[in-house]
Amino acid sequence: MAIEAHEPGSWRREFRATLKLAWPLILTNLTMASVQAIDTFFIGRYGTSELAAVALALNLTFALNLIALGVITAASPMMATALGRGKGRVKDVRRSFRQSVWLAITVTIPLWAILMNAETVIGWLGQDPALAVNAQVFLWGYLWSTFLFLLFNAMRNFLAALERPGWILLISASSIPINSLLDYALIFGELGAPELGVFGAGIASTITWAIMAVAMFAVILTDRQFKRFQLFARFWRPDWERYRNMWKLGLPIGLAMGFEGGVFSAAAYLMGLVGEQALAAHAIALQIAALSFMVPWGIAQASTVRVGLMHGRGDKDGIARAGWTAWMLGVGFMSCMAIFLWTFPEELIGLFLADTPENTEVIALGASFLVIAAIFQIVDGAQVVGAGVLRGLHDTKIPMIFTFVGYWLIGIGAGAWLAFEAGWEGVGIWSGLAIGLAIVGVLMLQRWMRRERLGLMSDEPSKESSPAPVD
């Protein structure tokens, strides 16, 4: 592979700039992922059956939330490109942010409709009716967090585009003790609270996201470096052209993220057909793999901003440095994580379960899944950073097709065949996930390497940042 080489100093500057932006985003991703991980931890202590039910609920919301998050993520490269151009950037950034919140409101309504009928949906997917009932109970507390999650991330995209992620990290870090305390109190009935079980876990998450969204809102209104953008001024005024263009750019991002997240959700439902213990083991292994994934995802988010800034400036060498720096950081980290998961699978699974005889099989199954997860860590890092750098070039449609083909036509198909035809059961499902991730990773890398020949750097990203009639 040929990596563009220029003066060493410029690479060092890009490395520092990427890390400066990425590490708060990484830690923020880790703290946000910990909300679900904390729910999984406490529910795992509450009961294996309850853990399996919550796994079904979270895997349903995970795919839907990713699609919605991807749609509003269109604002990130748009704001970064506007900032790279410089001219009229305050008004342009404000308009993009405003429409991203409009999008969040738009997509929340159908998401709520689905989650309010989750018991029926889960039943259609062939799952145990008792687990479906408990999953719906959890979601009655959890589904209200959907809009709060999207609103927080719309504000987070704004701070990231300005390369000012410190507040994001501080607010997100506060979610860990808050959610832990609420889970402990509301699930088990401690600290004077009623014992609400799985419903308590859902309520705890909603309260946590509400606190985070309010805190971020207060920061944007009061911090001097953000006040000048007046993000919420005349918020009711429409910008229909920008709204349509954000759908055009964001829907492929959302579908691509949904295809990726959805394949893990589909894997959970296939695992439910294998058995309750396999599903519980899958839930824990997936949480561990998801925490690891937060690092390259944060690097990918930083790469979208860095590549978008260089794209706005028309700096082809800068685009190359930004993309390859992110790629090496993401793949390098996941290579280290692969060794870690391979070495300590049982110990990691054991962190989430009480050491009792009835959990012995769950721990063994979870450890076998983590061994497969160790194998696909590297390609998982490659595909997510690949999607991030292409997104910085406003290239979203073809990567979306890559994810559909790789994850759904090949990955989940191979996993189902290995699980139920070859008799590999849960290990077969995880093996299919690894195959899908590898294919998508290779396709993303090839497209990035051919970006000039494909004309990805010559297209003028003008329409989405065209002036609106009012502001």
Side-chain angles (χ1 to χ4, degrees):
M1 144 191 348
I3 298 179
E4 297 84 337
H6 298 280
E7 66 275 15
S10 61
W11 283 95
R12 285 194 294 269
R13 286 193 296 273
E14 183 58 43
F15 182 82
R16 289 194 295 268
T18 301
L19 277 183
K20 181 180 178 181
L21 177 58
W23 76 262
L25 294 174
I26 290 167
L27 293 177
T28 300
N29 288 343
L30 287 168
T31 55
M32 290 197 300
S34 71
V35 173
Q36 285 196 2
I38 290 166
D39 288 344
T40 301
F41 173 82
F42 281 105
I43 289 295
R45 292 292 193 272
Y46 195 73
T48 301
S49 178
E50 287 81 1
L51 176 60
V54 171
L56 293 175
L58 287 176
N59 277 281
L60 179 60
T61 61
F62 182 63
L64 296 173
N65 280 345
L66 278 181
I67 295 172
L69 178 61
V71 171
I72 69 168
T73 296
S76 185
M78 289 171 65
M79 289 188 289
T81 301
L83 291 167
R85 289 198 188 102
K87 186 178 180 180
R89 62 182 187 171
V90 170
K91 185 177 292 186
D92 208 14
V93 167
R94 178 170 62 245
R95 289 169 174 168
S96 293
F97 171 80
R98 177 189 300 162
Q99 294 311 302
S100 73
V101 179
W102 279 45
L103 286 175
I105 295 170
T106 303
V107 298
T108 295
I109 296 171
L111 290 189
W112 278 349
I114 294 171
L115 297 180
M116 287 177 181
N117 295 279
E119 181 181 346
T120 301
V121 174
I122 292 171
W124 285 343
L125 295 172
Q127 303 301 308
D128 184 334
L131 294 181
V133 170
N134 246 353
Q136 183 69 77
V137 171
F138 169 79
L139 286 173
W140 281 122
Y142 186 86
L143 66 88
W144 312 108
S145 68
T146 301
F147 175 70
L148 299 167
F149 165 78
L150 295 176
L151 177 61
F152 176 86
N153 276 283
M155 293 185 283
R156 169 182 133 138
N157 287 338
F158 164 69
L159 268 64
L162 291 177
E163 299 187 275
R164 296 291 187 272
W167 277 112
I168 306 173
L169 173 60
L170 182 62
I171 294 170
S172 298
S174 69
S175 70
I176 296 177
I178 292 172
N179 196 51
S180 298
L181 187 65
L182 289 170
D183 268 338
Y184 175 69
L186 295 174
I187 293 173
F188 298 99
E190 301 290 347
L191 306 177
E195 181 180 345
L196 300 177
V198 295
F199 179 70
I203 289 291
S205 293
T206 294
I207 295 173
T208 300
W209 281 112
I211 293 171
M212 293 168 66
V214 170
M216 186 70 82
F217 179 76
V219 165
I220 289 174
L221 288 183
T222 58
D223 192 297
R224 182 179 301 174
Q225 61 186 331
F226 308 132
K227 283 174 63 177
R228 65 192 179 94
F229 286 88
Q230 298 181 327
L231 288 187
F232 297 97
R234 295 179 293 279
F235 197 78
W236 58 89
R237 288 189 173 179
D239 185 346
W240 295 118
E241 183 179 0
R242 190 177 301 261
Y243 181 82
R244 289 190 297 271
N245 284 322
M246 289 187 75
W247 267 113
K248 184 178 178 181
L249 180 62
L251 186 58
I253 298 174
L255 291 175
M257 293 173 66
F259 289 150
E260 181 183 359
V263 79
F264 286 94
S265 298
Y269 283 88
L270 289 176
M271 204 69 73
L273 301 178
V274 174
E276 184 178 297
Q277 290 185 317
L279 178 57
H282 172 82
I284 297 171
L286 185 58
Q287 283 297 329
I288 295 169
L291 288 172
S292 172
F293 176 77
M294 294 301 108
V295 176
W297 190 21
I299 294 170
Q301 291 167 323
S303 76
T304 297
V305 173
R306 294 296 303 164
V307 171
L309 286 169
M310 299 303 169
H311 188 35
R313 296 170 187 167
D315 184 352
K316 292 185 177 181
D317 291 342
I319 289 172
R321 285 192 297 272
W324 285 117
T325 297
W327 195 87
M328 289 185 287
L329 285 171
V331 174
F333 172 82
M334 291 299 262
S335 299
C336 296
M337 282 305 301
I339 297 171
F340 183 68
L341 295 185
W342 185 280
T343 306
F344 304 106
E346 291 187 357
E347 291 83 354
L348 291 169
I349 296 295
L351 294 175
F352 288 80
L353 291 171
D355 187 12
T356 59
E358 56 266 27
N359 287 333
T360 301
E361 184 178 352
V362 177
I363 293 173
L365 284 170
S368 68
F369 299 159
L370 276 190
V371 170
I372 306 297
I375 296 172
F376 72 55
Q377 289 290 290
I378 299 172
V379 291
D380 202 9
Q383 66 82 21
V384 71
V385 176
V389 297
L390 291 172
R391 200 171 295 146
L393 297 176
H394 298 220
D395 181 34
T396 60
K397 292 181 181 178
I398 299 301
M400 174 195 69
I401 296 172
F402 289 166
T403 58
F404 177 74
V405 173
Y407 298 140
W408 286 92
L409 296 186
I410 299 174
I412 203 67
W417 186 87
L418 290 170
F420 302 109
E421 295 295 327
W424 290 16
E425 296 189 331
V427 171
I429 294 171
W430 277 74
S431 298
L433 295 176
I435 293 169
L437 287 167
I439 289 171
V440 175
V442 170
L443 292 173
M444 294 290 191
L445 179 59
Q446 286 184 337
R447 187 164 179 81
W448 166 252
M449 293 174 67
R450 299 174 62 229
R451 62 192 178 280
E452 288 198 63
R453 279 175 285 174
L454 294 171
L456 299 181
M457 299 197 299
S458 60
D459 293 336
E460 185 67 24
S462 58
K463 281 189 176 182
E464 68 268 10
S465 44
S466 58
V470 293
D471 182 57

